Amino acid sequence: MPTKSGLIDPAEAAVLLVDHQSGLLQIINHVNPRELRNNVATLAKAATLSDVPVIATASVPEGPNGPLLPEIFANAPKATYVRRQGQINAWDAEGFRHAVAQTGRRTLIIAGIMTSVCVVEPALSALAEGYDVYAVIDASGTYSDEAQRVSTDRMIQAGVKVVDVLGVAAEFQRTWIRDDAMDWAGVYAGVSPGYGAVIESVMRAQAEATGGEGAAAENKWAEARGRLV
C-alpha cells in the first residue's frame, strides 16, 4: 500500500523484471542498449542491497527473443525466475502472479524490455488487483520515442507511478549511515559515470589527507615498475 509520504517503502516492495532478453534488446532504439542493460543491472543491485525480492521472467528464451540478460542474476543472485508458457502479458501467467503473491509485498516496481508491452500490461493488470505500481522508465525501452511517450502517458493516466532507477535506489537506501554505504555509491556510479568520478575524487582527497593507501597512487605505481621520472 502507498506510504503516507508517497515514497517507496522497501519493506513493502518487490521488483519485477520482465523480458530483459538479448534478442529483444536489439529492437530498442529510443535509448542506447548498453545504457538500458546497465540500468537494469543497477536496479537489480539496489533491490539486492535492500533485501527487496526480485522476480524475473522471460518470453521463450530458447527462441529468437534470446536469453535473459546475465546482469540480472549477477546482481540479484536470490531472484526468483518464472517460466512462462507463451503468455505475452506476464501477469496472465499463474506462476508469475503466484510468485508475486508469495512475496507478501503490495508495492510492485516494474521494468521490462518493451515498455508498451512488458511494462504496460502487467502494470495495469496489477493495478486492477489493488497493487501500488511503479514503472521504472529508464530500465525499460521501446522502438521509438513516440512509443515510449504514449506508453508512459497511458500508465500515468491509469494511476501507475513512473520513476527512474536512481529515484528508486534513493528511496530504497534511505540513509548513507549504513555499513554498505560504498556499495550504494557504486549503485549511483553505475547509472551516472559523473557520480563515479566524484566518488573517486573524494576517496583520493581522503587518502591524501590521512596518508591512506590511495595517496600518491601514480608515484607508487611508477616506482614499483621503475618508471618514475
Side-chain angles (χ1 to χ4, degrees):
M1 297 298 292
T3 62
K4 290 182 179 179
S5 67
L7 299 176
I8 298 168
D9 181 354
E12 293 293 332
V15 169
L16 313 184
L17 302 177
V18 183
D19 298 349
H20 290 101
Q21 297 168 248
S22 59
L24 294 173
L25 185 68
Q26 297 176 54
I27 63 175
I28 301 303
N29 290 324
H30 93 283
V31 65
N32 185 298
R34 181 181 298 176
E35 179 182 344
L36 177 60
R37 61 190 303 166
N38 190 57
N39 289 351
V40 173
T42 299
L43 179 60
K45 183 176 181 179
T48 298
L49 288 173
S50 306
D51 293 322
V52 171
V54 175
I55 299 172
T57 186
S59 175
V60 198
E62 66 277 11
N65 289 348
L68 201 68
L69 299 182
E71 294 93 329
I72 291 176
F73 292 149
N75 287 281
K78 296 182 180 179
T80 295
Y81 176 69
V82 177
R83 293 174 292 180
R84 303 211 310 278
Q85 304 299 319
Q87 299 95 337
I88 293 175
N89 180 359
W91 202 261
D92 286 342
E94 182 178 354
F96 190 77
R97 298 194 307 276
H98 178 72
V100 172
Q102 284 291 100
T103 69
R105 309 295 179 94
R106 298 296 298 178
T107 298
L108 304 184
I109 316 296
I110 305 178
I113 193 67
M114 188 69 66
T115 307
S116 55
V117 179
C118 307
V119 182
V120 167
E121 294 191 12
L124 297 188
S125 298
L127 195 69
E129 294 191 21
Y131 287 89
D132 187 26
V133 182
Y134 294 75
V136 190
I137 206 65
D138 58 346
S140 309
T142 191
Y143 48 86
S144 71
D145 291 341
E146 182 69 8
Q148 188 78 340
R149 184 187 63 78
V150 297
S151 298
T152 302
D153 288 350
R154 182 182 180 189
M155 288 190 289
I156 291 172
Q157 290 169 9
V160 176
K161 302 173 181 70
V162 175
V163 291
D164 70 316
V165 170
L166 289 190
V168 172
E171 292 178 43
F172 280 178
Q173 181 191 359
R174 294 298 175 94
T175 177
W176 284 104
I177 309 303
R178 48 191 299 162
D179 293 338
D180 59 356
M182 288 308 299
D183 292 327
W184 281 101
V187 166
Y188 298 109
V191 173
S192 172
Y195 189 86
V198 170
I199 294 297
E200 290 173 357
S201 297
V202 169
M203 292 182 67
R204 177 59 180 269
Q206 290 176 341
E208 296 294 344
T210 61
E213 183 178 350
E218 297 82 5
N219 290 351
K220 293 175 181 177
W221 183 92
E223 285 177 345
R225 294 161 177 78
R227 299 178 64 86
L228 181 64
V229 178

